[in-house]
Amino acid sequence: MYIKSLIAVFLASILTENYVLNKFLGICPFLGVSKKLNTALGMSLSVTFVMILATATTWPIYTYILKPNDLAYLQTIVFILVIAALVQLVETILKKYIPPLYNSLGIYLPLITTNCAVLGVTMLVIEKGAIDLSFGYVQSLTNAFGAGIGFLVAMVLFAGVRQRIEKCDIPKFMQGLPITLVAASLVAVSFLGFQGLVEGLLG
Amino acid sequence: MSEILLPIIIVAGIGFVAGLILAIASIVMAVPVNKKMEAILEILPGVNCGACGFSGCEGYAKALANNEAKVGLCSPGGDKVSKEISKLLGIESEKIEGKKAVVMCFGTHENTENKMKYQGIGSCSAAAQLYSGIGSCQYGCIGFGDCKNVCPYGAIDIYDGVASVSFEKCVGCGKCVATCPKNIIKLIPDKEQAVVHCSNKNKGIETKKVCKVGCIGCMRCVKECPAGAITVQDFVAKVDPEKCAGCKKCVEVCPSKCIKLLPLS
């Protein structure tokens, strides 16, 4: 039962609650880095990594430090502080051990700091925990992992879409960003089709 | 009091711990930065003009440090910068000549006439769309100063409807060359030489009709030049700066007075 609920959380965060295509968080890297498949992969993996690490640190901070002291209002500022530090850490690690990835991510790596998907995950899991008491630390981590994988799925799907767009004969006024945004909206609409799927599968 | 103190302590504490971790990480996982590249970047003028063909000074410095680029591509820096970089890299310095921009047109209001009363946008690129510009000469300078606006060094001024580049201020970055819609600004080596200030490719008679100082392609300078530096192509004389010794004979013989010795003293 416990495992089943974890799987439900995981699948839901990928398909029905996809942070990019359903909640429209983290659109900047979604449009910026999805041109090539391998940078899209690298970016989403580092976002996933940061999401899990961020949730793993912010959840205890919120539950054991902020909440008992009635300081829940500090949530946003503390979370951003933690995320910024984590991104710096990831940047340092990448620079040292995976320089090609560091170079190809370029400007987008510091942008994870301000990637609202990361902040969104950390804050939304706490919101969920407040509503549903069984939604604890493990569920939060699963949700964060799922959100990262959901980001990866969206990025990889969209990188494929964009590669096909490049070969198409597009009217001049739609070339570049306009057609990309239209395509993004269509992919988002297609994700609406997953609504109710997880409940139906495991509910 | 504790209501304020506690949040401060908590946030400061988290910040301190995060800072500590980052500091340790940056020491443990330090990546040696390319010292050579930074030293080169110091020498380069830092104007990011892109004349070298790289994406700004940083790109050029990086390429130089990795031995992927030649020394001396930096024309704003000129000979001095290339010497310093060569010294740093331990390569023989090649003497490079700086470049200067020259507007190949003398068509002032006095020398040419306007074929229309232009009331459009005050920019050369806009005016050039309309019957090849305002002046009667379709090759000539329009004189709205698109080049003046793009020049980062304030080296270009418009005198009587024609742009003129100051030899002293010009560093040869080539921005005006790329901007000019009539394509009449050229880069020439920084030395004493004769320059034909005309770009009109029409036959002599046609040129004479539209401009008093246009090159009519009479070949007199070609015959006069002792170094054989002048050629006429498309009814315009052209001086090869490498061969030109600055003897001034062509200047004297030119019937249209469109050859001048540069730099103008």
Side-chain angles (χ1 to χ4, degrees), chain B residues 26-243:
Chain B
S26 70
I27 295 167
V28 173
M29 289 182 272
V31 179
V33 273
N34 200 333
K35 286 229 175 78
K36 220 193 237 173
M37 179 199 143
E38 282 187 355
I40 295 171
L41 198 59
E42 289 275 303
I43 298 171
L44 289 172
V47 288
N48 289 323
C49 66
C52 51
F54 290 89
S55 58
C57 293
E58 202 176 324
Y60 185 43
K62 204 170 174 184
L64 274 174
N66 296 334
N67 278 333
E68 287 163 359
K70 270 204 222 146
V71 181
L73 295 176
C74 181
S75 62
D79 208 28
K80 193 171 145 253
V81 163
S82 100
K83 257 186 202 151
E84 277 181 51
I85 294 175
S86 313
K87 209 166 103 190
L88 192 91
L89 292 174
I91 317 171
E92 255 327 90
S93 157
E94 290 170 33
K95 168 117 178 89
I96 62 146
E97 269 174 349
K99 292 223 160 123
K100 302 283 171 188
V102 173
V103 181
M104 302 293 196
C105 180
F106 268 165
T108 54
H109 290 315
E110 198 180 295
N111 293 329
T112 59
E113 280 168 11
N114 286 354
K115 62 178 172 234
M116 65 171 94
K117 215 171 181 181
Y118 182 75
Q119 290 183 325
I121 308 163
S123 112
C124 303
S125 51
Q129 311 275 325
L130 220 58
Y131 303 102
S132 324
I134 306 164
S136 48
C137 173
Q138 66 180 102
Y139 297 96
C141 176
I142 297 168
F144 277 121
D146 280 15
C147 47
K148 184 184 171 184
N149 296 336
V150 83
C151 181
Y153 306 94
I156 305 181
D157 265 315
I158 310 292
Y159 296 109
D160 207 12
V162 174
S164 168
V165 184
S166 154
F167 241 58
E168 281 155 31
K169 289 184 192 164
C170 180
V171 298
C173 70
K175 279 197 173 164
C176 50
V177 178
T179 305
C180 181
K182 306 266 57 163
N183 226 345
I184 54 171
I185 307 183
K186 298 272 183 280
L187 284 179
I188 55 166
D190 182 11
K191 62 172 235 187
E192 203 183 42
Q193 64 193 299
V195 173
V196 182
H197 284 87
C198 181
S199 307
N200 194 315
K201 289 185 177 131
N202 283 337
K203 284 184 181 165
I205 310 166
E206 304 283 319
T207 308
K208 205 73 205 163
K209 269 185 202 160
V210 294
C211 181
K212 287 178 195 165
V213 289
C215 175
I216 53 177
C218 64
M219 315 284 282
R220 280 172 77 174
C221 49
V222 180
K223 283 170 199 153
E224 200 66 34
C225 184
I230 308 182
T231 49
V232 171
Q233 206 182 6
D234 294 334
F235 309 103
V236 196
K238 193 171 177 289
V239 182
D240 185 349
E242 277 184 21
K243 289 184 193 160

Side-chain angles (χ1 to χ4, degrees), chain A residues 61 65-66 69 71 73-74 78 81-82 85 88-89 92-93 95-97, chain B residues 3 6-8 10-11 14-15 18 21-22 25-26 28-31 62:
Chain A
I61 287 176
I65 301 178
L66 296 184
N69 294 312
L71 293 173
Y73 64 90
L74 277 178
V78 167
L81 185 67
V82 171
Q88 275 294 310
L89 193 66
T92 322
I93 293 171
K95 206 174 180 179
K96 172 79 179 173
Y97 296 108
Chain B
E3 271 176 28
L6 194 63
I8 295 176
I10 288 175
V11 175
I14 294 171
I21 294 172
L22 282 182
S26 70
V28 173
M29 289 182 272
V31 179
K62 204 170 174 184

Side-chain angles (χ1 to χ4, degrees), chain A residues 91-126:
Chain A
E91 201 177 338
T92 322
I93 293 171
L94 280 186
K95 206 174 180 179
K96 172 79 179 173
Y97 296 108
I98 325 173
L101 186 59
Y102 175 79
N103 287 333
S104 64
L105 288 179
I107 182 75
Y108 293 103
L109 199 57
L111 275 180
I112 300 179
T113 319
T114 48
N115 186 342
C116 42
V118 178
L119 184 67
V121 170
T122 55
M123 291 178 76
L124 286 174
V125 289
I126 279 161

Side-chain angles (χ1 to χ4, degrees), chain A residues 9 12-14 16-26 51 54-56 58-59 62-63 72 75-76 79-80 83 115-137 139-148:
Chain A
V9 168
S13 58
I14 297 177
T16 56
E17 291 167 15
N18 191 297
Y19 275 78
V20 179
L21 298 170
N22 272 65
K23 296 191 194 298
F24 304 113
L25 294 173
M51 273 179 178
T55 313
T58 53
W59 200 89
Y62 180 83
T63 318
Q75 194 190 22
T76 314
F79 283 14
I80 285 183
I83 293 168
N115 186 342
C116 42
V118 178
L119 184 67
V121 170
T122 55
M123 291 178 76
L124 286 174
V125 289
I126 279 161
E127 214 170 82
K128 271 188 190 173
I131 299 165
D132 179 6
L133 286 177
S134 68
F135 200 89
Y137 191 47
Q139 279 86 350
S140 299
L141 282 182
T142 318
N143 195 326
F145 181 54

